[in-house]
Amino acid sequence: MKSYTFTKESLRKKFRLSEFLSEKIITGFALLSITIIILIFVFVFRETIPLFTSKERPTGSREELVQEQYGVVPEPRPDQLQRQEVYGIEPDSALMGNREYSTEEHAAGQERRVTVKGLLGDEWYPVSSNPRYGLIPLMVGTIKITLIAMLFAAPIAILAALFSSAFAPTWLREWIKPAIELLAGFPSVVIGFFALMVMATVLQELFGYETRLNAFVGGIAMALAAIPIIYTITEDALTAIPGTYKEASLALGASKWQTALFVTLPAATPGVFAAILLGIGRVFGETMIALMATGNAGLISANPFESVRTLAATIGAEMAEVVFGDTHYGVLFLIGSLLFVFTFSLNALAEFYIKGRLMKRIQGKIA
Amino acid sequence: MQGGMKETKIVTKDLTLYYGEKMALNFVSIEIPENQVTAFIGPSGCGKSTFLRTLNRMNDLIPSVRIEGKVLIDGLDIYDRKVDVVNLRKKIGMVFQKSNPFAKSVFDNIAYGPRINGIRDKKRLEEIVVTSLQRAAIWDEVKDRMNHSALGLSGGQQQRLCIARSLAVNPEIILMDEPASALDPISTGKIEELIFALKENFTIVIVTHNMQQAARVSDHTAFFYLGELIEYGKTRKIFTTPDHKQTEEYITGRFG
Amino acid sequence: MSRRNNITGAVVVGASAFSAIAIIAIIIVILVVIVIGGKDRMTWEFITAFPENGMTEGGIFPAIYGTALMVIIMSVAAVPFGTITALYLTEYTSEKSIFAQTIRFAVRTLATVPSIIFGLFGLGFFIKFVGGEMDSVFLGGQLKWGQPNILWASLTMSLLTLPVVIVSVEEAIRTVPRELLEASLALGATKWQTIRKVVIPGSISGILTGTILAISRGAGEVAPILFTGAAYYLATLPTSLSDQFMNLGYHIYIMSTQSADVDGTMPIQFATTLVLLLLTFLLNFIAILIRARIRRKAIV
């Protein structure tokens, strides 16, 4: 007689603690990481809310303490002293003017609200007896820098991508691509340092303008940060265009460069467009290069050879010295939120172009 | 079932499987005898491999798969909610189309199964490893390289190592999914000999696209076409006087 | 007509070749300038000594130490987190689940957020919210954690590098052949046993690559730590998680923009930049090597 071995008893569902725990823990971690990411969105925006809601400073004890430490530093740290002395490597910085005043004023409990009209003002003097938080000069500066950077980065990076994908022999391409991507590995503080120490001097001698650190220098330095991004994405888009395309064009008697310029490049437009958007996003949010190479003066002017102050650099320069929770602090977070929303939209748009348009175009034309 | 000299081990009743909306198996009912070799044949995409993978619930890994009908082993419905898949798979060995040894030593490959079953004793492990390799007829070839990487073995050796690995957990059933499709004729011959030797102790189900192989190694043959079981019976009968026209056409090489 | 065509062609090819060469040339120029500017100062003493005389002399050991300590704490947070999230994405959820897609979207977003935003988050969340609460709950309002320190800076940096880890590990996990997972499961291994014994050993080099890339990124970023823990000058090394720390990148920034004697300390600045550059390049290079090995393995 046969004995059955696949029995209900021997195969009864078993509870395995390690299995249960590992699954729960792994899911928990994944959940936690998404929570943190959402928290980033929440917290950056949260700190700006008091700007628009509360009139008086809340008088929580913790805030007072924190403020004491931050606002009226009993013994100023060496870096703060240093900062006051030499902040203006450039002549103009009126910024540091009335520092002591402002802290006392804050301590007295001052109105925190800012108006939209105030934010649209054309003066950025956050630390003076009459603080003005006009974002216009910062926006102008950021846009100016971005324009200059893209004016240099986009054509150079796109042409270089065209070269390595269409004209360069394979062995050369295998050297060029990693070499240019090496630039992406440069910490931005290194690029900023190079711009500040070397490029600024060289360019000033070449063009003979007055202010050593200006939008032009900053823009070119930013271009160095944007080039690898634009190059890589454009290159990928160009190589993703199917060979059949190019063959069809070549078979019609078009030369290699005609094919590259009039067939491959147009077909890859969505990818190129996305590359430019991501490049803009990079420049827009770049902090260290802006801090080091642009002169940091919030001027409204169309002259590329004057100093500018960008949104990101403003946060970087001033956040360490503000009083927790006061108007200036809130406005800096507001600037952060603006940067965030803007780069977020750019990236979403770029993703739409890469994923949607480019893929559709490639696949649609194959079929 | 024709000529049921042996006990039936696996029974499926109206087994139907969907990949999302697409039906891949269509009311398959079959009875597979114990300690014999049953071969599944049919053109690619006919559902024979999918069917094989329902027998040890390997299709559970694919989220879009939905299964209806019953699979009974020793009369136990293995898709019952109370059945433990992990323990079920310990009783059913599986050999895959592409040999897939782990990137570990020969010894550690065979010891993998016993170790996850909690066997830590070195003597016991060695004993199991040696017996398994012997039963898979590969012991002589690897006994001097137990600590070498299994990836250094030839394709045919790797496949027999995988068979040995599945034997090490003491299964009762061995499922083979085209085990010799990637091998040269000599290695294939060795695998076939092995299958023949193993059926004394194991119930073997083998998927193959090689009809000669099915004819050589199997006692029973099932012909699948478009997700349906067309014909099932003694191998000799299927290959000489099939009842269905499609079976005949496939066997004589008119399609597939 | 054909002649005009030939000229246009030459211009197009010439301009594109020029662009590629120009980019590579500027990379070389940056490297050469920094090496030349820094090489004389690059001595063993410079790397191992403390700054002296108001940072106009001596070495940069505290900055190297601080950077190293920060990336270690950062890795301790980012690597397990990133690895586990990658495991979840590859093994515990389907490509199409809404949760998985949300995570992917969030990770992509995280990868493109300007680094200064992480600094803001670090300040608003870690320092003000978490640290502040810790102080008021455990220390009765005494200020200890509610201010910039190496812990908060490292955690801020770990968020910035999280996408790097997740992407590398995910890529590595996907190169582990599915057949091996099936082999393990068919032998009666549980999912967790399979992950522990097959998936993780198979993707260990990917985890390593992710870690190294994250470290290289974290070592070079300055914006996130500007106001979450980096200090201009400290006479002692950080000994507690609540201490501030010196950092190579921050040191370069401060020395080159706010030092009392920018010109006089120029060699120190160049040498510091050289150290940072060497460090990030070395790390990237190692990561590239490991990654190339993974890719080769995946093809076989």
Side-chain angles (χ1 to χ4, degrees):
Chain A
M1 198 44 219
K2 153 147 191 61
S3 68
Y4 291 119
T5 51
F6 283 71
T7 55
K8 258 196 186 124
E9 290 68 41
S10 70
L11 291 178
R12 174 157 306 133
K13 195 151 225 160
K14 249 172 86 179
F15 175 76
R16 294 178 175 82
L17 187 66
S18 62
E19 207 63 17
F20 176 81
L21 284 181
S22 63
E23 171 150 8
K24 292 288 168 266
I25 289 171
I26 288 174
T27 313
F29 264 79
L31 204 72
L32 203 59
S33 63
I34 194 169
T35 313
I36 289 176
I37 294 167
I38 293 168
L39 277 182
I40 296 185
F41 305 139
V42 173
F43 265 85
V44 173
F45 288 116
R46 196 186 86 140
E47 298 296 313
T48 71
I49 294 171
L51 276 184
F52 300 101
T53 52
S54 69
K55 272 201 156 175
E56 294 294 320
R57 286 179 56 75
T59 46
S61 60
R62 187 164 59 80
E63 301 255 351
E64 295 289 343
L65 268 167
V66 173
Q67 176 211 321
E68 230 168 77
Q69 190 68 18
Y70 269 78
V72 210
V73 187
E75 267 179 72
R77 294 181 309 194
D79 58 313
Q80 283 181 339
L81 276 179
Q82 294 280 12
R83 249 175 232 204
Q84 294 197 15
E85 280 168 18
V86 271
Y87 209 97
I89 307 168
E90 298 322 314
D92 55 77
S93 294
L95 183 85
M96 283 303 169
N98 301 319
R99 202 158 172 86
E100 284 80 32
Y101 260 116
S102 68
T103 42
E104 271 163 34
E105 223 172 32
H106 287 310
Q110 155 221 22
E111 195 171 281
R112 306 175 74 190
R113 239 162 109 100
V114 286
T115 57
V116 174
K117 201 176 154 221
L119 289 172
L120 290 177
D122 56 7
E123 283 180 315
W124 176 259
Y125 289 127
V127 270
S128 70
S129 53
N130 171 26
R132 277 147 290 171
Y133 301 105
L135 298 181
I136 296 297
L138 309 182
M139 287 183 180
V140 169
T142 309
I143 292 168
K144 215 159 113 182
I145 282 277
T146 309
L147 275 178
I148 294 170
M150 295 316 287
L151 229 48
F152 281 93
I156 290 181
I158 293 168
L159 279 171
L162 200 63
F163 178 72
S164 69
S165 72
F167 304 133
T170 320
W171 65 267
L172 190 59
R173 176 173 188 259
E174 275 168 13
W175 278 101
I176 293 179
K177 204 168 181 296
I180 294 181
E181 282 167 356
L182 188 72
L183 190 55
F186 276 60
S188 55
V189 70
V190 171
I191 297 179
F193 178 73
F194 177 75
L196 171 66
M197 290 297 163
V198 184
M199 244 167 60
T201 314
V202 173
L203 288 175
Q204 191 179 27
E205 273 170 23
L206 271 178
F207 293 91
Y209 46 73
E210 241 174 80
T211 323
R212 202 175 85 94
L213 295 179
N214 54 45
F216 183 66
V217 176
I220 293 181
M222 294 272 199
L224 292 180
I227 280 173
I229 295 178
I230 304 178
Y231 168 83
T232 308
I233 295 167
T234 308
E235 229 267 350
D236 289 348
L238 288 173
T239 36
I241 302 299
T244 48
Y245 249 70
K246 298 165 204 165
E247 280 155 26
S249 164
L250 291 171
L252 287 171
S255 63
K256 214 172 172 186
W257 71 267
Q258 285 169 324
T259 307
L261 200 63
F262 300 126
V263 177
T264 317
L265 193 59
T269 326
V272 177
F273 195 64
I276 294 176
L277 289 179
L278 290 176
I280 294 175
R282 176 74 211 282
V283 172
F284 216 80
E286 175 55 49
T287 308
M288 295 319 291
I289 297 176
L291 270 178
M292 295 167 85
T294 60
N296 287 322
L299 308 172
I300 302 180
S301 114
N303 185 353
F305 299 117
E306 278 183 30
S307 292
V308 290
R309 187 181 187 85
T310 72
L311 292 165
T314 303
I315 303 175
E318 295 171 18
M319 188 52 98
E321 274 124 48
V322 299
V323 180
F324 270 19
D326 82 343
T327 315
H328 190 185
Y329 174 91
V331 173
L332 291 181
F333 267 92
L334 178 70
I335 294 176
S337 309
L338 286 178
L339 275 181
F340 195 179
V341 170
F342 186 74
T343 46
F344 182 85
S345 322
L346 275 181
N347 292 321
L349 198 62
E351 198 165 303
F352 164 76
Y353 268 96
I354 293 178
K355 284 235 165 108
R357 293 286 177 87
L358 187 64
M359 286 307 145
K360 239 178 241 158
R361 201 175 268 211
I362 292 171
Q363 284 151 1
K365 286 198 179 169
I366 291 172
Chain B
M1 196 197 104
Q2 284 94 345
M5 282 156 5
K6 298 269 183 178
E7 298 254 359
T8 299
K9 187 73 176 173
I10 307 169
V11 177
T12 72
K13 284 183 185 158
D14 294 336
L15 189 75
T16 302
L17 182 143
Y18 300 88
Y19 284 118
E21 293 299 303
K22 204 180 137 253
M23 191 190 267
L25 289 175
N26 197 354
F27 293 95
V28 177
S29 298
I30 196 169
E31 295 185 2
I32 294 169
E34 188 166 35
N35 293 2
Q36 296 219 321
V37 178
T38 303
F40 294 170
I41 61 169
S44 15
C46 67
K48 57 189 192 297
S49 285
T50 304
F51 182 60
L52 187 79
R53 294 165 67 93
T54 61
L55 303 182
N56 67 342
R57 293 187 53 177
M58 222 45 188
N59 286 323
D60 289 17
L61 302 178
I62 306 164
S64 65
V65 162
R66 205 175 80 244
I67 287 171
E68 285 163 14
K70 278 196 164 119
V71 179
L72 308 171
I73 300 181
D74 284 350
L76 176 79
D77 181 2
I78 62 165
Y79 281 91
D80 191 295
R81 281 197 308 127
K82 287 188 196 123
V83 166
D84 192 87
V85 192
V86 170
N87 285 341
L88 175 79
R89 290 194 188 128
K90 283 180 185 156
K91 287 169 171 275
I92 306 173
M94 190 163 202
V95 179
F96 297 82
Q97 181 171 4
K98 212 175 131 224
S99 60
N100 52 0
F102 301 122
K104 301 171 191 273
S105 71
V106 171
F107 184 92
D108 287 342
N109 260 280
I110 310 295
Y112 185 90
R115 277 186 180 138
I116 55 176
N117 279 330
I119 298 175
R120 291 272 168 272
D121 182 50
K122 212 148 183 262
K123 268 241 163 78
R124 263 306 295 286
L125 279 177
E126 258 168 45
E127 201 182 294
I128 294 173
V129 169
V130 173
T131 336
S132 307
L133 287 168
Q134 281 167 343
R135 288 170 98 177
I138 193 182
W139 169 245
D140 290 335
E141 292 161 63
V142 299
K143 65 180 173 205
D144 299 324
R145 43 208 290 197
M146 295 298 280
N147 294 320
H148 292 222
S149 167
L151 299 175
L153 301 176
S154 76
Q157 287 173 328
Q158 288 192 3
Q159 195 59 299
R160 277 179 287 143
L161 181 86
C162 291
I163 295 176
R165 184 176 63 187
S166 70
L167 298 181
V169 285
N170 246 334
E172 292 168 36
I173 299 167
I174 302 176
L175 308 176
M176 299 186 170
D177 191 356
E178 306 200 20
S181 69
L183 302 180
D184 60 273
I186 294 172
S187 305
T188 304
K190 284 189 181 162
I191 301 263
E192 287 177 9
E193 273 170 42
L194 178 59
I195 292 171
F196 199 79
L198 287 173
K199 77 173 179 181
E200 197 179 316
N201 297 306
F202 303 94
T203 304
I204 296 175
V205 186
I206 176 170
V207 165
T208 178
H209 60 241
N210 178 338
M211 263 152 322
Q212 286 77 20
Q213 188 171 63
R216 280 193 301 264
V217 302
S218 72
D219 304 294
H220 297 265
T221 297
F223 172 62
F224 285 83
Y225 185 60
L226 296 176
E228 283 187 54
L229 174 61
I230 304 292
E231 190 167 355
Y232 176 50
K234 288 259 191 208
T235 299
R236 201 179 315 131
K237 171 151 193 311
I238 297 278
F239 278 90
T240 50
T241 53
D243 291 335
H244 290 259
K245 203 160 178 298
Q246 279 163 322
T247 316
E248 192 193 338
E249 281 177 355
Y250 179 71
I251 285 164
T252 52
R254 252 172 275 169
F255 75 93
Chain C
M1 192 66 193
S2 139
R3 203 167 139 198
R4 232 180 76 196
N5 259 342
N6 282 343
I7 294 172
T8 325
V11 168
V12 171
V13 178
S16 72
F18 172 78
S19 301
I21 294 166
I23 299 173
I24 292 171
I26 188 97
I27 296 172
I28 295 171
V29 168
I30 297 178
L31 290 175
V32 168
V33 163
I34 288 170
V35 169
I36 291 177
K39 72 172 183 342
D40 293 338
R41 259 286 171 164
M42 263 288 268
T43 57
W44 182 245
E45 200 222 324
F46 181 69
I47 294 174
T48 54
F50 269 69
E52 281 162 35
N53 209 351
M55 309 222 300
T56 55
E57 283 166 42
I60 51 164
F61 179 69
I64 296 177
Y65 181 85
T67 308
L69 196 61
M70 180 197 73
V71 295
I72 289 171
I73 300 171
M74 173 203 88
S75 306
V76 167
V79 173
F81 237 101
T83 306
I84 291 175
T85 307
L87 268 178
Y88 178 81
L89 287 174
T90 47
E91 303 297 335
Y92 282 88
T93 182
S94 81
E95 204 68 15
K96 288 186 186 106
S97 90
I98 292 180
F99 186 46
Q101 282 187 342
T102 316
I103 294 184
R104 273 174 216 286
F105 178 74
V107 169
R108 277 198 305 275
T109 307
L110 206 55
T112 47
V113 169
S115 50
I116 189 81
I117 305 289
F118 288 93
L120 286 182
F121 174 71
L123 184 63
F125 180 71
F126 289 126
I127 297 177
K128 215 183 142 193
F129 185 71
V130 181
E133 288 302 315
M134 277 164 74
D135 285 346
S136 63
V137 171
F138 300 117
L139 301 169
Q142 190 197 334
L143 189 75
K144 179 170 185 198
W145 295 102
Q147 56 185 341
N149 65 35
I150 191 163
L151 177 65
W152 301 141
S154 305
L155 291 182
T156 305
M157 201 61 100
S158 73
L159 292 178
L160 181 104
T161 51
L162 195 61
V164 179
V165 179
I166 294 179
V167 169
S168 304
V169 177
E170 228 195 303
E171 192 192 1
I173 291 178
R174 292 197 190 282
T175 64
V176 176
R178 298 277 74 170
E179 294 92 44
L180 293 186
L181 305 196
E182 291 195 337
S184 171
L185 292 168
L187 287 167
T190 63
K191 192 172 193 166
W192 176 235
Q193 282 172 327
T194 304
I195 288 174
R196 234 179 46 214
K197 297 193 160 205
V198 178
V199 178
I200 293 179
S203 44
I204 198 79
S205 46
I207 297 173
L208 206 62
T209 319
T211 310
I212 295 171
L213 286 177
I215 289 178
S216 152
R217 177 87 195 275
E221 280 285 347
V222 180
I225 56 167
L226 278 176
F227 35 82
T228 53
Y232 179 56
Y233 173 72
L234 297 166
T236 53
L237 297 176
T239 52
S240 141
L241 287 176
S242 60
D243 286 346
Q244 291 204 332
F245 66 108
M246 287 175 73
N247 172 283
L248 280 172
Y250 188 64
H251 195 68
I252 296 169
Y253 162 61
I254 290 291
M255 294 282 284
S256 62
T257 57
Q258 288 157 48
S259 154
D261 181 10
V262 171
D263 290 329
T265 57
M266 199 86 100
I268 294 186
Q269 298 168 31
F270 272 100
T272 311
T273 309
L274 184 57
V275 170
L276 179 61
L277 211 50
L278 283 178
L279 185 74
T280 49
F281 275 14
L282 189 70
L283 290 168
N284 272 313
F285 186 65
I286 296 171
I288 288 169
L289 286 186
I290 299 176
R291 187 164 275 194
R293 260 192 51 198
I294 301 178
R295 294 244 164 90
R296 258 208 314 280
K297 205 180 79 191
I299 293 164
V300 173

